Structures are given as structure tokens and as C-alpha cells.
Amino acid sequence: MTRRHAILLGPLLLFLAAAYLIPFLGVMRWSFTLPEPGVQNYRAVLADPLVQSVLWRTLRICALVTVITVAAAYMLSLIWVRSGPVGRLLVELCILIPFWISVLTRAFGWLAMLSNRGLVNTWLQGLGIIEWPLVLVRNEFGVIVGMVHFLIPFAVFPIAASMRNVDERVLMAARSFGASRTRIFWQIFVPMTRPGILGAALLVFVFALGFFITPAILGGGRSVMVAELIYLRLFQSPDWGLAAALSVVLMVGVGALIAMLLRQFGERTTPR
Amino acid sequence: MRDTVTQTRAAEIGATGIGKRFGTFTALEDISLTIARGEFLTLLGPSGSGKTTFLMILSGFEPPTTGTLTLDGKDMTGMPAESRGFGMVFQGYALFPHMTVAENIAFPLKVQRRSSAQIRARVDQMIEMVGLGGHGHKRPAGLSGGQQQRVALARALAYEPPVMLFDEPFSALDRNLRAQMQGEMRRLHRETGTTFVFVTHDQEEALTLSSRIAIFDAGRLQQLAPPREVYERPENRFVAEFLGDINILTLKDGQIEGRAITLPGAGRSGDLAIRPEYMGLSLAEPATGNAVPATLLDLTYLGATTKLELRGPGGAAMVLSLPTAETPPGLAPGATLWATWAPERGVLL
């Protein structure tokens, strides 16, 4: 890094230190000092059954959301990258329009779709397929639907980028050897797009860990995830020490995953 | 070990009236030729001449707009690439980056559902054949360009295809490596006896490797003949000028600048082409034989040969390549000379 780079980067580093680093150190201090000095807050994170159940639910939902999102994004990317102009335009609309709509609006949109008197249930009842409304929101199902919908565009970009990197001639070579389309897809194309899949999975998982608005609205307080628990411990049943400790744990976990993400993408840019 | 790779599956390909249009652009027009069993045919031409399009049609990746293709006399025009079973080697190698060298070579064999013992034996044999012993466990990214090209060759040859198609496979290699790989290609062609079709824009490569050369320009087949014939008896001005240096003189009524010229065949007017190495030099006007007056513009010493640049009749640019031993000493730019040649060396285009 040259001197000029350092001068240009300076203000940003100062801002980050003032807006994130110093507050984070403050939060860290709270986690060890509130309500009294000690590590009892971290002990609670590891042992308290309520906290434990929230952490496990968070991991479970995030893992499920990651798998569903990446699979759906892979199919969308495939159409986006490898189909004709009409398919391409359709996928672009499907990805970009939701991308521009606020997360709050989208969560309420899903609420309108999935609630007991929502579109899905009234239609299904109107068609006589079901008698009683299905419980589609205020549970994990609703949370997962909302999160997947929000996260798909983020997964599409890295996956589509890795698909564009696949050399057409490699696929042609496989075809010339008589390989079927199924074999070429699973044995050549999917492995060649692995960096994109891993990158997308990590990105989605990291995003999902910190989700707050979507689970709060679509979970209706019944599928509390870790970000919502922090909020509750701050503003509803105050236990700032525990909230701080949970924040630190979340921060460290996300930090570790981002480090992996950077290594994953760093690998592709540095020549071996 | 080596004699076991000999195979007899070589096929003959026939093309009749093959044409290809992309929208309003005509990439190929009325190509008819036969590629003999076990032949090494080179498709040579400048970029955009249609040679690669023709290879893609042979491979089955591009359907022709007009015309028919046959494989051993049976129609294969509409047959997709995966059913033709030709071995292909691409520019840029097109190896499977996530597989090792051995896995790359095994891929076509697995597609053919050969037994794993058979596959292992064949993969080892191919790795030895292309001189990559000890590299079987490596990924393509860990190999040099030349080694990657050998893997691509081994992979395509492994399942004994009746026809091998090469799309400018050596264009990414440096000069020395290229020469080495060309030697390798000739050896592999000899050992396997398969029909080879090879696309290149490198004339030297075409002359070195092929049993016949098909020269393409502007979507048309210009000439199809063995290397020596294409070089020494070009059928038209494009072929003459595309392969190496050539001197073109304007012949009118059997004369150039009033001096009668003897020709090998019939014809009295047109463009007379003579290769630089078949021309001689005379300081005074010769009494008999073919000769034209010229002015020496420049002289380049190239070791074994000396290259002379001349201005010939009507201002025509001429080049002579003389053995240095036969170049008169004391030649300097500005000198007036006579360029001579034997009648059978002239080609009337």
C-alpha cells in the first residue's frame, strides 16, 4: 500500500473505529461487567436452556435457509446464464425487483400472503382444497419463506459469476466424449461452479445469522432468533450483560465466517 | 507397451456441398471433400476463413445450413456431437479443472462404461504414451501448458475414437514447445493410425504435419492437396501468396518486358508465380532461359541463405532467397541484376 492509498483510506478507517470498533469494545466491556464483573453472561450463553434453544433454532433455521436459498439460486442462475434472451429477462426481473423493495415491505407482503385470512389460505379454501386455514406464519415455516425470498438475489450473483467462468469448450469436450447431459451437469458443471456455491452458501448463512426484521414479523414472537433475543434482552426484560455477551458471540461467529468467505474468494483471484 | 495402442478404427469422412450461414453472413460455401481413412488433414486459412466453422460442423457441434456429411459412407449430417464419438482437442486444452490428470483421461472411458480394471490399465498406458509418467495425480492447474496439452491429447486418444479433431491446439504454446508437440502429434498419428483433422492458421505447422492440406479463404475451399503440391503448384493467387513468399510477375502474350518466357504448360497471359528459393541471379543478361531485369533494393544476410529484395518489371516487389555460397560478393543496393528461373518452376495462375 502506498502513502497515497493510506491517506485516502484514513477517513474511512477513522469512521469505522469511531462508529464500530469503540462501541464494540464498549459492548464487550458490558458483557463482562453487567450486572456485576465476571463471566456469568457467557456461562448463561453456554448453559441457559432458553438461550440455548434460541441459538440452536437460529443455527437450524439458518442452515435450512442456506440450503433452500442456494438450491433455488442455482436453478435461477442456470436459467439466467444459459437460457435465451426471454428467460434471461424474466430472471433479471425476478431477482432485481425484490432486490429494490425494503425488507420491511417484503415481510408484510408475505404476512398478507400467508396469514390465516391471507391470499393463499383464502384461495385454497375457496377452491375447496382445505377446510381449515393452514398455519403458514408465526412459525418457522413463515420465517424460512421470508428469509429465503430475501436472500435469493444475494446467492444468485456469486453463483452466476462462477457459471459465467465455466469455459464452454470444457463442456463441449465432455459432449464430444459422448457424455449425457445429466452426467455433464453433475460431474463437470456443478463441480466447476463449486467456488460460487460455497461463496453463496457462506454469504447467505452470514446474512441469515443476523436477521431481525423478517423473523420478528413472520415468526410472530414464537420462533425467536438470536438477533431478536438480543433486542428482547435490551428493551423488554432488560439484561444488558446477557445481550452484550450474545452480541459478542454473534459478532465473533460472523467474523470467523467472513474470514472464510474472504479466503474462498481470495483463492480465485490470486494465481497459484 | 507402445505397439498395443495400434488400432484399426480409423474412419473415412465425406462432405458434400457443405455450407453455413449465420444470419446474412456466409461462413462456408459449397465445401466438398473426402477425408481418407487414417489421413492427417490440415485445415489451413487466415482467421475468419471458415476453417474452424468446418471443424465444428465435422464435430457435430454446429449443424450445416446446406450439404451432407458421411461417416464411412453412412449419413451423419444430423447426428449430434455426443453420438459421433470423435476425439476432440481444443485451443486452451479444455481439461476438467477439478479432476486429476488420471481422472481426466478416465472420463471418456467411464462414459463408455468400461470395467475399472480396464480403465486403470488404459489410463496408465496413455499417461506413459504422452510422457507424463508420475503426473497422474496432479490437477491441470499444476501442469505447464505443454503438459496440459499432452493430457488433452491422451484424454481424446484414450477411447480410440475413429476420428480426432484438433482446433488450433498449439496456438498457446511457445515456439520450441510447439515444435516438440508437432513431433509428438506425428508420432501419435503414426502409432494410432486414426484419422486426424487439424485446424491451424500456422502454415509451417500445416506443411510439417499433414498428409494433405485444405486451404480455406472467405468460406471457400481454395485448394486441397499434399503440402508439397500446395506449396509448389498453387492453384490460385490466394494460395500462392498465403503460403510463404512468392514472386508474381505479369505475363503478356508469353513475354515479360519484351523477353520471351518459357512456361511448363499452356497459357500465354496472366500472373506468373515463382518461389524465391527457385530463382537464381545473373549479373549480365543471360543469352537463353527465363530472366527478368531487376534493381537490388536491399540485401539481408541470414547465415545459410541471403535474402535479396528487388524491384522487378513494372515495379513489382520481388524476393530472392539464395544460398549464401552462391551470392556474388560485392553486391550493393542500387545494382542492376537479372533474376532467372527454370521453366518448370513457374506457375501460371
Side-chain angles (χ1 to χ4, degrees):
Chain A
M1 192 163 58
T2 66
R3 205 184 153 79
R4 205 153 55 108
H5 287 145
I7 292 168
L8 287 171
L9 266 176
L12 178 68
L13 291 177
L14 271 179
F15 174 78
L16 287 176
Y20 291 98
L21 189 64
I22 294 169
F24 179 69
L25 291 174
V27 168
M28 210 148 180
R29 199 165 63 103
W30 286 351
S31 75
F32 287 107
T33 56
L34 291 177
E36 63 213 22
V39 293
Q40 73 280 8
N41 290 321
Y42 289 95
R43 206 173 294 138
V45 169
L46 290 176
D48 185 279
L50 174 79
V51 176
Q52 282 289 299
S53 78
V54 168
L55 285 178
W56 276 121
R57 180 186 299 124
T58 306
L59 288 178
R60 188 177 65 233
I61 290 180
C62 289
L64 239 117
V65 162
T66 303
V67 170
I68 299 170
T69 305
V70 169
Y74 201 85
M75 288 188 265
L76 271 173
S77 306
L78 205 58
I79 301 170
W80 193 21
V81 173
R82 301 194 63 85
S83 76
V86 179
R88 217 176 303 155
L89 186 74
L90 270 174
V91 173
E92 273 164 24
L93 289 176
C94 289
I95 297 167
L96 290 177
I97 290 178
F99 206 52
W100 292 324
I101 300 172
S102 118
V103 59
L104 206 59
T105 316
R106 285 157 70 175
F108 281 116
W110 279 113
L111 209 55
M113 284 284 290
L114 301 175
S115 64
N116 283 1
R117 298 183 150 276
L119 279 178
V120 173
N121 274 318
T122 28
W123 281 351
L124 289 177
Q125 279 172 303
L127 290 170
I129 296 169
I130 52 168
E131 199 172 337
W132 302 104
L134 299 170
V135 187
L136 301 174
V137 278
R138 295 186 207 292
N139 58 12
E140 280 185 22
F141 177 82
V143 174
I144 289 171
V145 168
M147 286 174 75
V148 166
H149 180 238
F150 183 83
L151 288 166
I152 281 177
F154 295 96
V156 164
F157 293 115
I159 292 174
S162 73
M163 285 182 180
R164 289 204 178 89
N165 272 341
V166 172
D167 184 348
E168 195 59 34
R169 288 172 299 191
V170 174
L171 305 179
M172 282 166 81
R175 271 180 67 193
S176 74
F177 302 138
S180 68
R181 302 211 164 219
T182 320
R183 185 191 280 268
I184 294 173
F185 180 74
W186 289 109
Q187 295 188 3
I188 311 290
F189 192 75
V190 171
M192 283 180 78
T193 52
R194 217 177 78 115
I197 299 173
L198 289 180
L202 268 169
L203 191 73
V204 166
F205 193 78
V206 166
F207 257 123
L209 277 180
F211 256 52
F212 174 65
I213 292 171
T214 308
I217 293 172
L218 292 169
R222 272 187 236 164
S223 349
V224 174
M225 284 172 64
V226 67
E228 199 183 350
L229 183 66
I230 293 171
Y231 172 84
L232 293 173
R233 286 292 167 272
L234 277 173
F235 298 110
Q236 292 195 354
S237 51
D239 185 352
W240 284 29
L242 181 65
L246 277 170
S247 302
V248 170
V249 168
L250 187 60
M251 183 80 187
V252 169
V254 166
L257 287 171
I258 288 177
M260 272 170 71
L261 189 76
L262 289 179
R263 263 190 54 195
Q264 175 66 36
F265 281 92
E267 216 175 11
R268 242 202 296 171
T269 47
T270 43
R272 260 174 286 179
Chain B
M1 197 89 181
R2 281 201 176 149
D3 46 358
T4 56
V5 296
T6 308
Q7 50 152 306
T8 49
R9 277 189 64 207
E12 179 191 278
I13 295 180
T16 316
I18 293 291
K20 179 75 186 176
R21 270 186 294 282
F22 296 103
T24 56
F25 173 70
T26 304
L28 275 183
E29 212 173 336
D30 197 26
I31 309 289
S32 298
L33 55 86
T34 304
I35 305 167
R37 195 160 286 140
E39 172 164 36
F40 196 135
L41 178 75
T42 301
L43 311 178
L44 177 67
S47 55
S49 59
K51 59 186 191 300
T52 304
T53 308
F54 187 62
L55 191 81
M56 285 297 124
I57 290 172
L58 289 180
S59 67
F61 286 115
E62 285 280 357
T65 315
T66 59
T68 52
L69 285 176
T70 57
L71 181 66
D72 285 334
K74 287 190 279 288
D75 183 78
M76 65 154 183
T77 316
M79 193 190 274
E82 44 271 49
S83 313
R84 293 190 187 184
F86 294 172
M88 280 204 77
V89 178
F90 293 85
Q91 195 177 358
Y93 328 128
L95 297 176
F96 307 130
H98 56 291
M99 296 185 191
T100 64
V101 167
E103 286 165 344
N104 262 282
I105 299 171
F107 183 83
L109 303 170
K110 282 185 187 153
V111 170
Q112 292 192 336
R113 297 179 190 284
R114 298 207 192 169
S115 75
S116 56
Q118 244 181 323
I119 291 176
R120 215 172 310 120
R122 184 71 181 154
V123 167
D124 289 346
Q125 186 190 358
M126 292 312 295
I127 288 177
E128 283 306 315
M129 185 175 173
V130 296
L132 282 175
H135 295 286
H137 62 284
K138 290 188 186 164
R139 293 274 166 94
L143 301 175
S144 71
Q147 289 171 326
Q148 289 188 46
Q149 194 52 270
R150 285 160 199 270
V151 178
L153 275 171
R155 183 179 63 173
L157 283 167
Y159 67 110
E160 298 160 343
V163 176
M164 286 282 289
L165 304 174
F166 301 87
D167 184 14
E168 307 209 20
F170 305 143
S171 59
L173 304 181
D174 67 45
R175 217 183 148 72
N176 285 335
L177 209 49
R178 238 180 136 113
Q180 200 185 328
M181 288 305 294
Q182 286 165 3
E184 201 91 327
M185 282 282 293
R186 273 195 301 199
R187 178 174 68 80
L188 290 172
H189 178 245
R190 217 173 29 242
E191 285 177 12
T192 58
T194 302
T195 309
F196 276 35
V197 183
F198 188 98
V199 166
T200 184
H201 61 264
D202 183 330
Q203 30 161 310
E204 210 178 300
E205 194 163 86
L207 292 171
T208 318
L209 292 175
S210 353
S211 52
R212 282 194 305 165
I213 302 179
I215 297 191
F216 284 74
D217 185 50
R220 290 181 164 276
L221 182 59
Q222 304 291 332
Q223 188 169 358
L224 174 60
R228 199 181 180 97
E229 198 178 320
V230 171
Y231 185 76
E232 291 180 6
R233 308 234 70 88
E235 273 172 16
N236 58 42
R237 190 158 177 157
F238 175 80
V239 175
E241 289 181 319
F242 186 68
L243 286 173
D245 288 328
I246 199 152
N247 296 307
I248 302 211
L249 303 168
T250 314
L251 185 74
K252 249 190 208 147
D253 296 326
Q255 293 185 332
I256 296 174
E257 300 245 304
R259 197 181 156 95
I261 301 294
T262 316
L263 296 165
R268 303 201 21 97
S269 298
D271 289 330
L272 182 65
I274 312 120
R275 292 281 172 201
E277 59 274 23
Y278 289 136
M279 289 191 107
L281 193 65
S282 172
L283 295 177
E285 182 173 359
T288 56
N290 290 338
V292 290
T295 312
L296 182 62
L297 297 179
D298 200 5
L299 179 143
T300 316
Y301 172 74
L302 296 168
T305 60
T306 300
K307 188 175 159 191
L308 278 68
E309 283 170 54
L310 305 167
R311 191 169 52 234
M318 291 176 67
V319 182
L320 259 66
S321 178
L322 291 179
T324 300
E326 291 172 23
T327 310
L331 274 181
T336 307
L337 311 161
W338 289 82
T340 61
W341 69 95
E344 69 274 14
R345 292 305 179 189
V347 179
L348 195 60
L349 301 174

